[in-house]
Amino acid sequence: MLLEGKICLITGAASERGLGRATAGLFAEHGAKVAILDLDEGAAAAAAAAIGPCHRGYGCNVTDKTACEEAVERALADFGRIDVLVNNAGITQPIKTLDITAGDYEAVTDVSLRGTLYMSQATIPAMKAGGGGSIICMSSVSAQRGGGVFGGPHYSAAKAGVLGLARAMARELGPFGIRVNSIAPGLIQTDITAGKLSDEMKQDILKGIPLNRLGDARDVAGIGLFLASGLSAYVTGATIDVNGGMLIH
Ligand code: NAD
């Protein structure tokens, strides 16, 4: 049990086959109480109930600062403190530079980047009051290698922005005992690419993965557990790759 008694908020964790949901399940297995935040309150509550009776689900659009603050207030009312925040919510679009509209840009950067900022801002005061915490930000190999997996350049830019934001927050918040780290997954089989990734595309991608398989949501959840727990007590400002060797640098 690596997270006994810890209170963990995870955004974008309602999606059944998603990285957030797998992380929520693994955290719960390790004794955490989890609050799942997602766009639809009913879906968030159902996802929380699916991992056990002592978890909660709240409707929250992470691009809306007031909604983030309200969700954190609800978590504090239900659980009394917050130890871990996983900024996992994100969307992607497989489009090329010249096709990115203003709306596409806003949609993609807002969820990953603005959402990570707003949720962190909403949560940091409670972590400071509690004497510390761990913030985990979901980036992507796309930020490091310049896309070329699935998302467009605006997705790479949003996820690269997440890395910079996380590192700067790590520097600023270290003195308060708050660690901030990022995870950079490669291609993990979830619904984010649902229906848009052909078998041919998968075979092409596999050629560049030394471990010779696409990732599983549990592969990412395990790194989330490490970063949330005391095992990583002296790790902050780091980016952990979970990509099967797709990018070795
Ligand atoms: P997913 O589509 O299965 O889940 C994303 C979740 O985010 C959904 O439940 C969705 O409802 C929620 N969400 C979307 N917009 C939101 C908003 N404004 N507010 C709150 N919740 C919102 O995707 P996934 O594959 O589990 O991806 C999770 C994270 O990991 C994303 O940030 C994604 O960019 C990142 N990532 C995924 C992969 C991959 O291959 N699956 C690779 C690298 C990074």
Side-chain angles (χ1 to χ4, degrees):
M1 290 287 210
L2 290 170
L3 297 177
E4 190 70 63
K6 299 285 185 198
I7 309 302
C8 305
L9 264 55
I10 308 179
T11 69
S15 175
E16 205 171 328
R17 293 174 352 109
L19 306 186
R21 175 73 165 269
T23 303
L26 188 60
F27 282 16
E29 283 172 32
H30 279 266
K33 290 185 178 147
V34 180
I36 286 176
L37 279 55
D38 212 301
L39 289 171
D40 180 69
E41 169 107 11
I51 59 168
C54 55
H55 312 287
R56 295 286 176 274
Y58 313 126
C60 173
N61 182 338
V62 297
T63 68
D64 176 345
K65 192 167 186 182
T66 306
C68 295
E69 289 164 351
E70 285 171 0
V72 168
E73 276 167 27
R74 290 177 71 184
L76 287 172
D78 284 341
F79 298 114
R81 54 178 293 120
I82 297 170
D83 301 292
V84 176
L85 166 67
V86 185
N87 285 308
N88 168 73
I91 60 169
T92 190
Q93 295 168 340
I95 51 180
K96 295 193 186 301
T97 304
L98 293 181
D99 299 324
I100 301 168
T101 65
D104 295 333
Y105 175 84
E106 277 159 19
V108 169
T109 56
D110 269 9
V111 182
S112 280
L113 190 48
R114 189 188 295 271
T116 295
L117 175 66
Y118 284 172
M119 274 308 301
S120 301
Q121 287 177 322
T123 309
I124 289 163
M127 287 186 171
K128 279 185 177 173
S134 171
I135 298 177
I136 299 160
C137 302
M138 204 58 80
S139 180
S140 168
V141 70
S142 175
Q144 302 162 306
R145 74 192 289 270
V149 182
F150 185 78
H154 54 335
Y155 179 75
S156 299
K159 292 303 193 184
V162 167
L163 292 182
L165 176 61
R167 287 172 182 156
M169 289 196 297
R171 200 174 285 281
E172 181 185 322
L173 300 171
F176 301 97
I178 301 172
R179 299 183 295 107
V180 188
N181 294 290
S182 302
I183 303 177
L187 189 58
I188 318 290
Q189 298 185 81
T190 70
D191 292 333
I192 204 166
T193 50
K196 297 171 204 150
L197 200 64
S198 67
D199 282 346
E200 200 184 344
M201 285 163 82
K202 278 187 196 166
Q203 288 312 317
D204 270 355
I205 292 166
L206 276 179
K207 287 178 196 153
I209 302 180
L211 290 183
N212 200 32
R213 66 171 175 87
L214 300 187
D216 183 84
R218 295 276 292 194
D219 295 325
V220 177
I223 300 303
L225 176 63
F226 167 70
L227 291 174
S229 76
L231 289 178
S232 60
Y234 201 51
V235 179
T236 197
T239 303
I240 313 277
D241 295 351
V242 193
N243 61 33
M246 174 195 272
L247 179 75
I248 298 177
H249 55 119

